[in-house]
Amino acid sequence: MAEKARRPGAVALLLTALLLCRPGFADTALTFSQAWERVLAEDHALAAGLAGQDQAQALMESARSLLLPRVELVGSYTRLDKPVELDALAMKPLDSLGDSLPGQLLIQLLGGQDAFMTPVTRRDITSSSLVAFWPLYTGGKISATRRTLQLGRREAAALYEEVRRARFLELVSTYYGLVTAEKLVLTQEQAESTLAHHLRAAEALQRHAQIAEVERLAARSAYDQARIAARDARAKRDTARMVLTSLVHADSPVTTRSRLFTNAALPPRQELLDGLADHPSLRVLALKKEQAGTLGEAARGAYHPEVFLFGGYSVYEDDSLASDLTPDWLVGLGVRLPLLDRSGRAGKIRAADSAEEQARQLYQGAQRKLSVLLETQYREADNARRTYQDLVSNVLLAEKTLHLRQRAFEEGLGRALDVVDAQTALTAARTRRDAAAFRYVVALAQILALSGRQEQFFLYQKKERKQEHQQQEDAS
């Protein structure tokens, strides 16, 4: 009976394990490169940027039609208040025939005035024709339009690159933020475990009257504080995991496989400065300046004459005298020069010049800010790298101090507060070292992205410091 009673529980445990192994329940472990590939493939902002590039490309290709003639099929229906007729008696030389008596008799003899009326058109007129218009010279307006669309395509590419770099930096901060949060959880849980063991030792010593009540309370208080810190760290880790899961568009919670790192040296500063000139923000502003200059050329073209070819071919017309007299086709060359224009040509020229100057000033200001940002982040990366190196000895010292304080307390030669202080120092040293590594990674990604070398981040990621273990061995 007992064996049968245990079977349902075993079956339930097996079903639970199978459910947890399903993709919807299992965590997704990703390296940083895999997370970046998912962002490139799934991110909505990047997809929108690609669509913007396609749109700009289509508009640029459509500008080729501006050089072609425009051919239209025009049809019309017109109803007149009365038919159009030609009175022969109103035309020379018959216009004076009715002024004399013999002439009037002759008119009556031939059938009256109606006999001299010739119908030209009926009241209802229908016609259709092909009309062609081909601009030969527009004062540079067509060239300016095509140039503007070409600049628009380049601007869309620069905007996409800017979004791509921003997404890269966001992923670096989010991914390695989760790595740091996971390491913080591990550090706090280790501190909690150590202080739990310390509390049990303090309770045992108090039972044997080897320490005072205040010593046990100090151990208890430190343990409770460690539990709170570990719980807060787990909450922050879960929040960071949720953000990363959303960023990479994963269906299940994401865990990290890459670790924090530092490098022996940073990229050469001059190479980074050289790459800064091609920053997408600077490219966008430079293109804005060119676009403003192109708009100025188009506005100045409004003062130039336009030369065009035109033509027409009659496709259908009524059976009337007017239709017979009208030619079936025509071609011609025309010139148009606006003398008084209400489009505000002079104002548009001034506006274009002001926009060009505005873009130039913004470009210089952005260039200066990016240079300062690059230098600031370069120093931040170097400082974080050195801090990470220098904290190796602090961590080793804190570990050995904690070990000695624990042994002294368990032998009745030390105080509970000494163990708590040693554990607090160890937790602080490990946390500071992890924070320094996180600052280095973020600053490194920033300086590489500013110079357009963000793909080299993966190379620096692989060049993980081998000196760390050597330093630990030397310190030990």
Side-chain angles (χ1 to χ4, degrees):
M1 290 294 294
E3 182 180 356
K4 292 182 179 180
R6 285 195 299 266
R7 288 179 182 176
V11 172
L13 183 61
L14 178 60
L15 290 176
T16 302
L18 291 175
L19 285 174
L20 290 175
C21 292
R22 291 177 56 190
F25 291 88
D27 291 347
T28 303
L30 297 176
T31 63
F32 179 78
S33 60
Q34 291 171 338
W36 178 233
E37 290 174 358
R38 289 183 67 95
V39 171
L40 290 177
E42 303 291 342
D43 188 74
H44 298 302
L46 292 176
L50 290 175
Q53 288 192 80
D54 294 339
Q55 178 190 14
Q57 179 68 26
L59 290 175
M60 187 189 70
E61 293 176 354
S62 69
R64 299 173 183 173
S65 61
L66 295 175
L67 301 176
L68 301 177
R70 185 178 72 240
V71 181
E72 300 174 336
L73 178 62
V74 180
S76 65
Y77 166 79
T78 307
R79 180 172 178 80
L80 306 178
D81 62 339
K82 61 180 180 180
V84 178
E85 296 178 334
L86 181 63
D87 187 1
L89 295 176
M91 302 174 64
K92 293 181 180 182
L94 300 181
D95 57 344
S96 60
L97 184 62
D99 295 341
S100 61
L101 182 59
Q104 294 178 359
L105 293 175
L106 180 59
I107 292 173
Q108 295 298 327
L109 180 63
L110 294 176
Q113 291 186 351
D114 293 341
F116 293 88
M117 301 295 293
T118 302
V120 178
T121 63
R122 293 173 293 185
R123 292 187 65 185
D124 298 317
I125 303 173
T126 57
S127 64
S128 63
S129 59
L130 289 174
V131 179
F133 178 84
W134 194 351
L136 302 180
Y137 175 74
T138 61
K141 288 191 284 293
I142 291 180
S143 299
T145 301
R146 297 185 65 195
R147 177 63 177 166
T148 299
L149 294 176
Q150 291 174 357
L151 295 174
R153 181 183 63 84
R154 292 167 55 188
E155 181 181 2
L159 290 174
Y160 172 78
E161 177 62 21
E162 189 170 14
V163 173
R164 190 172 183 270
R165 295 188 187 186
R167 280 291 181 267
F168 178 80
L169 293 176
E170 182 179 0
L171 179 63
V172 169
S173 178
T174 304
Y175 184 94
Y176 285 99
L178 178 56
V179 174
T180 306
E182 290 172 343
K183 296 201 69 174
L184 179 61
V185 169
L186 181 60
T187 300
Q188 295 294 348
E189 288 180 346
Q190 289 176 350
E192 180 184 1
S193 176
T194 300
L195 292 175
H197 175 73
H198 174 60
L199 175 60
R200 289 192 296 269
E203 291 173 344
L205 291 174
Q206 185 193 11
R207 284 194 299 269
H208 292 83
Q210 295 183 7
I211 62 172
E213 174 70 13
V214 68
E215 296 285 343
R216 185 193 64 80
L217 290 176
R220 182 68 192 186
S221 176
Y223 172 66
D224 291 340
Q225 290 295 329
R227 290 176 57 195
I228 295 173
R231 184 168 59 247
D232 291 344
R234 285 190 289 269
K236 293 178 180 179
R237 177 203 59 191
D238 294 340
T239 301
R241 180 175 296 170
M242 178 191 65
V243 174
L244 179 60
T245 300
S246 175
L247 183 60
V248 300
H249 296 267
D251 297 328
S252 58
V254 171
T255 58
T256 60
R257 293 176 58 189
S258 301
R259 64 179 186 178
L260 292 169
F261 65 93
T262 60
N263 301 108
L266 290 171
R269 184 184 273 103
Q270 189 57 46
E271 291 183 4
L272 299 175
L273 291 173
D274 294 340
L276 190 64
D278 195 42
H279 193 276
S281 296
L282 297 180
R283 273 190 282 162
V284 169
L285 291 174
L287 291 171
K288 291 291 186 183
K289 181 176 178 294
E290 291 188 48
Q291 289 174 356
T294 303
L295 292 176
E297 294 176 2
R300 291 180 178 88
Y303 287 96
H304 299 173
E306 297 182 2
V307 181
F308 55 89
L309 286 174
F310 64 91
Y313 178 79
S314 178
V315 178
Y316 171 80
E317 57 187 11
D318 290 332
D319 185 12
S320 63
L321 178 61
S323 299
D324 294 338
L325 295 176
T326 303
D328 292 336
W329 61 270
L330 59 91
V331 293
L333 178 66
V335 178
R336 180 170 54 195
L337 178 62
L339 300 179
L340 182 61
D341 187 81
R342 61 178 183 177
S343 64
R345 295 174 292 186
K348 289 181 178 180
I349 293 175
R350 291 195 303 270
D353 293 341
S354 299
E356 188 173 3
E357 176 62 20
Q358 180 187 28
R360 188 180 68 83
Q361 295 293 340
L362 290 175
Y363 179 89
Q364 293 179 353
Q367 192 176 33
R368 184 181 300 274
K369 290 180 180 179
L370 288 174
S371 299
V372 173
L373 179 60
L374 177 61
E375 182 63 27
T376 302
Q377 292 300 315
Y378 193 92
R379 295 184 180 186
E380 170 68 13
D382 187 61
N383 181 54
R385 180 179 64 85
R386 295 176 182 274
T387 301
Y388 182 85
Q389 297 172 6
D390 295 339
L391 285 173
V392 173
S393 59
N394 290 35
V395 173
L396 293 176
L397 175 61
E399 290 174 349
K400 291 186 178 296
T401 302
L402 176 62
H403 178 69
L404 294 175
R405 293 286 187 261
Q406 286 177 321
R407 290 187 60 182
F409 178 78
E410 293 171 357
E411 294 176 1
L413 301 177
R415 300 180 306 162
L417 289 177
D418 295 336
V419 178
V420 172
D421 292 342
Q423 179 58 57
T424 302
L426 177 59
T427 301
R430 287 175 175 172
T431 302
R432 284 186 61 195
R433 195 159 188 260
D434 294 339
F438 174 73
R439 287 177 16 237
Y440 171 80
V441 169
V442 173
L444 175 66
Q446 183 80 304
I447 61 177
L448 291 176
L450 285 172
S451 60
R453 290 172 167 81
Q454 61 271 16
E455 301 303 331
Q456 293 184 7
F457 180 84
F458 301 99
L459 299 178
Y460 283 94
Q461 184 186 23
K462 293 178 181 179
K463 297 177 182 177
E464 296 187 7
R465 287 183 51 84
K466 298 180 180 179
Q467 296 181 357
E468 175 182 353
H469 303 292
Q470 184 64 38
Q471 287 180 355
Q472 292 180 352
E473 293 177 359
D474 295 342
S476 59

